Amino acid sequence: MKAHEKKALVNLYESRYVKLGYDIKTVGWGSLDSQLLRFKILGEIGELSGASVCDIGCGFGDFYPYLIKSFGAVNYTGVDIGDKLIEEAACQYPEAQFTVCDILETPLNQTFDYTFCSGALNYQIEDNEAYIEKMLEKMFSFSARGIAVNFLSSYVDFESDKNYHLPPEVAFKMAQKLSRHVTIRHDYPLYEYTLYVYR
């Protein structure tokens, strides 16, 4: 992602935050039900009770309370490139860890059991596939057990110009470079799919 693209993305979310405040529409989700379904599918990667978890593009960190409710204690770290969103996340969930970081530029210097990324790789940029592949490689490099990432599917009848729909077969080929243990979940009622890559 180029510097101007990153700046535009941060500005998009932060301008929504100024207008809407702490709201799921600020981070681009259409409804609470769809957000919770995404969380459910992400969480089905494995047994997360007691696990250390990194949430890339965490927004307001709302995946954290879902994990606590579903799995009990987890060691959660939320990461985002937007300062204002991270500030709000830290206010909402002071017991969790949050950091402002671009993982392709600044190493986290920490290993997690699982790393998640929900909706953060769906915006149209100059070279989406190259960027996504780098992000998958980086997330997998600091994940001891696996990663779960969701993408907009290319198997749809409409695509917005602002969004990027990664074909699931392309995601599978990327993941196979990292591990032979790969699962694609394209079986839930949203126009997207979730990729699991395991150690």
Side-chain angles (χ1 to χ4, degrees), residues 133-146:
E133 189 157 21
K134 288 178 184 176
M135 288 292 288
L136 292 177
E137 290 172 357
K138 180 61 72 173
M139 287 186 284
F140 198 67
S141 73
F142 54 72
S143 303
R145 298 171 68 182

Side-chain angles (χ1 to χ4, degrees), residues 12 15 43 56 72 99 134 138 167-168 171 173 176:
L12 171 66
S15 63
I56 302 297
T99 185
K134 288 178 184 176
K138 180 61 72 173
K173 288 180 181 178
Q176 282 280 301

Side-chain angles (χ1 to χ4, degrees), residues 17-168:
Y17 179 63
V18 169
K19 181 179 179 180
L20 301 172
Y22 176 56
D23 189 286
I24 60 170
K25 289 183 171 57
T26 298
V27 290
W29 297 130
S31 71
L32 180 60
D33 286 344
S34 64
Q35 183 189 53
L36 290 175
L37 178 55
R38 288 183 185 94
F39 289 167
K40 178 179 183 294
I41 299 298
L42 288 166
E44 289 178 356
I45 189 174
E47 178 51 61
L48 301 181
S49 297
S52 57
V53 167
C54 183
D55 184 8
I56 302 297
C58 68
F60 294 134
D62 292 322
F63 190 32
Y64 172 69
Y66 174 85
L67 292 173
I68 294 296
K69 182 177 180 180
S70 301
F71 300 101
V74 295
N75 184 358
Y76 175 94
T77 298
V79 178
D80 204 286
I81 59 174
D83 296 62
K84 287 183 171 54
L85 301 189
I86 288 292
E87 289 173 7
E88 181 65 44
C91 289
Q92 292 292 327
Y93 312 112
E95 68 279 17
Q97 299 294 316
F98 293 98
T99 185
V100 178
C101 178
D102 180 338
I103 63 169
L104 295 183
E105 296 179 1
T106 306
L108 291 175
N109 296 321
Q110 186 175 350
T111 299
F112 303 89
D113 292 319
Y114 291 101
T115 298
F116 298 90
C117 183
S118 183
L121 302 178
N122 293 335
Y123 280 94
Q124 189 76 246
I125 58 175
E126 185 175 307
D127 194 343
N128 284 90
E129 285 191 20
Y131 177 66
I132 289 168
E133 189 157 21
K134 288 178 184 176
M135 288 292 288
L136 292 177
E137 290 172 357
K138 180 61 72 173
M139 287 186 284
F140 198 67
S141 73
F142 54 72
S143 303
R145 298 171 68 182
I147 64 175
V149 185
N150 55 35
F151 300 98
L152 293 173
S153 178
S154 58
Y155 292 90
V156 295
D157 55 12
F158 173 78
E159 296 183 16
S160 167
D161 290 341
K162 70 177 183 179
N163 291 330
Y164 179 72
H165 293 244
L166 180 69

